[in-house]
């Protein structure tokens, strides 16, 4: 079996890659098991949500999927409140950069549902199988098939089977933190504001969601020390809920009033990862290529930036070059080097800055937040950086 381009992975990055390449006239297929996305419940939200930047929103609109998502499940973020671990605070508002909104909070399940529909409507072949080995421009699959292609795209997540099978270099460093996510009822309306606390014991973010019949809703993302997080995850459900709500009451300082747990608590380890992005006939995108601390909420935006750059680079190659030509793929790698490195340095630097308990650093980081709060130009630069991929 032979194809021009095969995308390994059927998550948001994988499906976006297949769609972007197909829309640019490339012959592409998806290699991954099909997964059913549960029907949306009007009063419950998917536990995993993403902050979609304006650049990512424009790209998804170009793919024809943004307008297909139900508007009632999209939450525009008009402002951000960022609190330090003392009295430092920065307030960012969309109007400060002449933007209609800073970002949109969107459920993972809603993006996936629309992408699956778009891939099906576009007639993109879907090979329901898994990659188990790679050699000489071909992958072997679980079913025993051998698939050849000019280019294989590894968009198959942080554990990327394609990257492993091809022996591509991969470095990972554990933060010894666990990301905890859960859906909460809020007592006080969030008014489209995302609130984040940089604490010496982790980073807590409350992301606004559309209201339900029960009132205001927020999604919690808490980067907590792993020993503490694992102890919380191990508790019986009722005790876990009681303890989490008590921790939230203390950490959120009553900003949104009483916060009540509404869904199951999920946890995932946090790591800083970087992989060899290209090899002859292979390109990696999204978490398969890089993984950051989620404190800036930019992981998916970086992945969609990869997709946009890869689709453009491959489609614009010279007619005499194949899609997997290493010279073509090096152009993709160069296009992504600066934005990925900049976000890596920013998120890792912030994590290290707030993880330190040294008194001079505690004073410095909160004094710095006071300074930024009084500097409109710096705020505009911060907003502009977060708006890009």
């Amino acid at each position: 079996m032979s194809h021009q381009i095969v995308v390994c992975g059927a998550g948001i990055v994988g499906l976006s890659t297949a769609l972007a390449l197909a829309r640019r006239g490339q012959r592409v297929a998806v290699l991954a098991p099909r997964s059913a996305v549960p029907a949306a419940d009007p009063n419950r939200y998917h536990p995993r949500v993403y902050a979609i930047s304006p650049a990512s929103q424009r790209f998804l609109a170009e793919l024809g999927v943004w307008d297909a998502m139900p508007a009632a499940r999209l939450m525009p973020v008009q402002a951000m409140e960022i609190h330090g671990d003392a009295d430092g605070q920065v307030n960012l508002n969309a109007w400060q950069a002449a933007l209609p909104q800073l970002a949109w909070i969107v459920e993972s399940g809603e993006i996936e549902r629309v992408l699956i529909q778009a891939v099906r409507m576009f007639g993109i072949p879907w090979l329901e199988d898994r990659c188990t080995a790679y050699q000489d421009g071909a992958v072997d699959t679980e079913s025993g098939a051998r698939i050849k292609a000019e280019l294989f795209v590894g968009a198959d997540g942080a554990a990327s089977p394609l990257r492993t099978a091809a022996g591509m270099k991969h470095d990972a460093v554990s933060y010894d933190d666990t990301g905890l996510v859960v859906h909460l009822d809020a007592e006080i309306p969030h008014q489209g504001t995302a609130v984040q606390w940089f604490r010496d014991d982790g980073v807590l973010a409350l992301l606004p969601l559309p209201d339900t019949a029960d009132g205001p809703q927020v999604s919690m993302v808490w980067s907590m020390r792993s020993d503490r997080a694992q102890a919380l995850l191990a508790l019986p459900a009722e005790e876990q809920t009681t303890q989490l709500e008590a921790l939230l009451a203390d950490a959120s300082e009553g900003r949104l009033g009483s916060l009540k747990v509404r869904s199951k608590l999920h946890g995932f380890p946090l790591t800083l990862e970087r992989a060899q992005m290209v090899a002859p006939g292979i390109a990696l995108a999204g978490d398969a290529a890089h993984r950051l601390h989620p404190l800036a909420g930019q992981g998916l935006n970086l992945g969609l930036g990869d997709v946009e750059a890869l689709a453009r680079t491959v489609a614009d190659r010279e007619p005499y070059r194949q899609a997997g030509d290493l010279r073509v793929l090096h152009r993709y790698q160069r296009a992504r080097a600066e934005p990925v490195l900049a976000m890596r340095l920013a998120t890792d630097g912030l994590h290290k800055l707030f993880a330190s308990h040294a008194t001079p650093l505690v004073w410095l980081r909160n004094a710095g937040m006071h300074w930024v709060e009084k500097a409109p130009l710096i705020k505009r630069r911060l907003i502009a950086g977060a708006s890009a991929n």
Side-chain angles (χ1 to χ4, degrees):
M1 188 185 300
S2 184
H3 297 271
Q4 183 188 36
I5 303 172
V6 172
V7 177
C8 300
I12 295 172
V13 171
L15 295 175
S16 297
T17 302
L19 193 58
L21 286 165
R23 290 180 69 90
R24 284 180 170 268
Q26 306 304 298
R27 291 183 293 107
V28 61
V30 174
L31 173 62
R34 288 185 190 268
S35 56
V37 179
D41 182 332
N43 286 309
R44 290 197 177 273
Y45 294 101
H46 194 279
R48 189 75 179 265
V49 301
Y50 293 106
I52 300 295
S53 71
S56 292
Q57 184 273 336
R58 287 192 295 272
F59 177 56
L60 291 172
E62 288 170 8
L63 293 183
V65 300
W66 183 262
D67 290 338
M69 287 189 282
R73 300 188 80 90
L74 303 177
M75 185 68 218
V77 179
Q78 306 294 338
M80 286 189 66
E81 284 181 21
I82 305 168
H83 299 260
D85 53 348
D87 59 348
Q89 183 173 335
V90 174
N91 296 283
L92 302 176
N93 290 275
W95 60 262
Q96 292 169 324
L99 292 172
Q101 53 275 312
L102 296 175
W104 289 260
I105 304 301
V106 187
E107 300 158 86
S108 172
E110 288 305 306
I111 306 177
E112 289 175 16
R113 180 181 293 106
V114 174
L115 281 169
I116 289 169
Q117 292 170 352
V119 164
R120 185 182 299 123
M121 290 177 65
F122 222 80
I124 297 171
W126 193 315
L127 314 174
E128 296 187 57
D129 215 333
R130 296 179 191 271
C131 166
T132 57
Y134 174 87
Q135 187 175 11
D136 300 329
V139 298
D140 294 330
T141 71
E142 265 186 353
S143 69
R146 168 158 284 202
I147 300 171
K148 294 183 178 180
E150 294 178 16
L151 172 63
F152 288 94
V153 180
D156 44 357
S160 181
L162 176 63
R163 183 189 68 211
T164 302
M168 298 174 74
K169 187 178 178 183
H170 172 245
D171 299 315
V173 178
S174 172
Y175 279 114
D176 198 25
D177 286 350
T178 295
L180 298 177
V181 295
V182 75
H183 176 190
L184 304 168
D185 288 320
E187 182 182 15
I188 298 174
H190 50 65
Q191 298 181 321
T193 299
V195 192
Q196 190 169 35
W197 290 264
F198 282 83
R199 299 160 51 87
D200 59 5
D201 60 349
V203 183
L204 169 64
L206 298 179
L207 307 177
L209 293 170
D211 291 354
T212 69
D214 295 323
Q217 308 294 310
V218 291
S219 176
M220 181 199 87
V221 184
W222 198 336
S223 304
M224 188 181 287
R225 300 302 296 171
S226 287
D227 53 354
R228 190 182 185 199
Q230 293 305 318
L232 186 61
L233 287 165
L235 292 175
E238 188 173 338
E239 188 178 347
Q240 181 188 89
T241 295
T242 300
Q243 187 164 329
L244 178 57
E245 289 177 353
L247 291 171
L248 280 165
D250 175 62
S252 68
E253 303 166 341
R255 172 62 181 78
L256 293 176
S258 175
L259 295 168
K260 299 297 182 184
V261 172
R262 187 180 176 89
S263 67
K264 183 180 178 181
L265 182 67
H266 297 270
F268 52 94
L270 302 183
T271 53
L272 180 66
E273 302 184 33
R274 177 174 53 186
Q276 175 186 343
M277 207 160 185
V278 300
I282 300 178
L284 303 182
D287 283 356
H290 43 71
R291 201 174 186 200
L292 309 175
H293 196 288
L295 58 85
Q298 292 297 314
L300 179 59
N301 293 318
L302 272 185
L304 292 175
D306 294 345
V307 174
E308 187 173 16
L310 179 61
R312 181 179 62 249
T313 303
V314 169
D316 291 349
R317 71 188 186 279
E318 299 87 345
Y320 57 85
R321 295 194 190 279
Q322 290 195 334
D325 189 309
L326 195 54
R327 293 190 185 186
V328 175
L329 300 183
H330 276 154
R331 296 169 195 164
Y332 160 61
Q333 181 175 265
R334 287 193 296 271
R336 297 305 295 154
E338 184 178 345
V340 171
L341 179 61
M343 190 57 65
R344 176 187 175 93
L345 292 175
T347 55
D348 191 49
L350 277 172
H351 176 267
K352 287 176 178 174
L353 177 63
F354 279 90
S356 173
H357 298 277
T359 302
L361 274 180
V362 173
W363 177 86
L364 182 63
R365 63 201 181 207
N366 285 281
M369 294 182 79
H370 282 297
W371 179 71
V372 170
E373 176 62 14
K374 297 176 182 178
L377 179 60
I378 300 296
K379 286 187 178 184
R380 285 197 292 272
R381 293 286 297 272
L382 287 171
I383 293 169
S387 297
N389 283 337

